[in-house]
Amino acid sequence: MGELPPLFDKSIECLLCKQSATTKKIRSRFIKVSEYDTDFCPKYAEGTTNGLFYNIHVCPKCGFAFSKEFSKYFAPGTKEEILEKICSHWVPHSFSDERTINDAIQTYKLACYSAILKKEKHITIAGLYLRTAWLYRLKQNEEQEHRFMRLARHEYEESFSIGDYNGTQVSEVRILYLAGELSRRIGELQAATKYFSMVLEKRKSAVETSIIQMARDRWADIKGELPAH
């Protein structure tokens, strides 16, 4: 028997049209992260498969795109809007083969649009925007990277405001940290300082002490860059 390939086929049922189709997934043993950026973007070891490429399932029949974070519930009227704005324009296309970075970006953009029309939680949409920004970083396209970081920050702010992150794996401290770090990366240092300060205010009650330290480090990084009052 030969060695197992990194990718395998998995049948997934579309949340919208309920048709099953095959998509590629990565065997966990082949996902090797060498380090993380300060906004948690994973850097994969050289010669290994990028785990971000296969997070999104795009239904080849109707065009609806989703991740495992999507809920199965469709609010009233959302199915009809998706059918009108995505499915009626969809030319049957499959992303079931090995994906390039451009394929991956296309799947995330489809998922972002699907999530907006479906009225997914802000925390879910934020994660899609952030991962799209990471892919553009890999392509060294700073303009699009910053565009999607700005969109992600807005969704994290909305999530924090209404609390729709409750019941997810994303904590309040992580949301505030990401709002600060994305602000820092797009050059909005006053906003970054505000959010990092909010993180540090929670240091006594926070479980994720590593994020508290990261916020302290980022705050120190930008302290000298702020204009004097």
Side-chain angles (χ1 to χ4, degrees):
M1 252 181 103
E3 288 187 11
L4 282 173
L7 301 176
F8 67 96
D9 291 328
K10 182 176 181 179
S11 181
I12 295 182
E13 182 182 271
C14 176
L15 294 178
L16 182 69
C17 73
K18 302 301 181 184
Q19 295 292 309
S20 292
T22 299
T23 191
K24 285 279 189 289
K25 292 293 180 184
I26 308 176
R27 290 185 169 86
S28 57
R29 74 179 75 171
F30 291 97
I31 299 175
K32 296 178 181 177
V33 178
S34 57
E35 61 179 318
Y36 291 91
D37 282 341
T38 51
D39 61 353
F40 306 114
C41 174
K43 292 183 177 179
Y44 294 91
E46 192 173 345
T48 62
T49 307
N50 190 314
L52 295 172
F53 285 16
Y54 300 95
N55 283 341
I56 306 300
H57 176 61
V58 181
C59 177
K61 297 178 177 68
C62 74
F64 184 71
F66 57 96
S67 69
K68 65 181 181 181
E69 286 77 26
F70 277 49
S71 70
K72 294 182 180 180
Y73 171 74
F74 285 80
T78 55
K79 280 190 176 182
E80 291 75 13
E81 190 166 13
I82 293 167
L83 288 169
E84 177 193 341
K85 294 188 174 176
I86 294 178
C87 306
S88 65
H89 303 285
W90 180 250
V91 177
H93 180 72
S94 176
F95 287 94
S96 63
D97 294 325
E98 190 169 345
R99 293 176 183 176
T100 65
I101 189 169
N102 290 329
D103 290 334
I105 287 171
Q106 197 174 346
T107 66
Y108 274 96
K109 286 183 173 180
L110 285 166
C112 290
Y113 190 40
S114 296
I116 291 166
L117 294 179
K118 186 178 176 293
K119 295 182 167 58
E120 270 293 338
K121 288 182 175 183
H122 293 290
I123 192 66
T124 301
I125 299 172
L128 294 171
Y129 282 146
L130 181 58
R131 284 159 180 77
T132 309
W134 292 346
L135 291 173
Y136 275 117
R137 184 179 306 166
L138 201 57
K139 280 176 66 75
Q140 300 181 321
N141 185 331
E142 191 175 274
E143 181 183 351
Q144 289 299 317
E145 179 193 348
H146 282 204
R147 175 191 166 208
F148 279 94
M149 284 196 293
R150 191 171 278 106
L151 289 167
R153 184 190 62 175
H154 174 73
E155 294 298 327
Y156 282 124
E157 289 171 334
E158 291 295 308
S159 180
F160 175 72
S161 176
I162 67 172
D164 77 359
Y165 58 89
N166 287 316
T168 74
Q169 293 182 329
V170 186
S171 67
E172 182 181 64
V173 164
R174 183 174 286 253
I175 286 176
L176 291 170
Y177 173 80
L178 279 168
E181 177 58 8
L182 295 177
S183 296
R184 185 186 75 83
R185 283 176 173 267
I186 60 177
E188 297 184 13
L189 300 186
Q190 293 285 2
T193 302
K194 177 186 79 171
Y195 285 117
F196 288 144
S197 296
M198 291 171 73
V199 172
L200 295 176
E201 284 169 10
K202 298 181 181 297
R203 60 185 175 274
K204 289 183 180 177
S205 60
V207 176
E208 296 167 290
T209 54
S210 61
I211 294 180
I212 301 296
Q213 186 57 50
M214 289 173 74
R216 189 178 283 117
D217 293 342
R218 300 292 80 69
W219 195 88
D221 288 343
I222 64 177
K223 193 174 177 183
E225 300 175 43
L226 290 170
H229 292 289

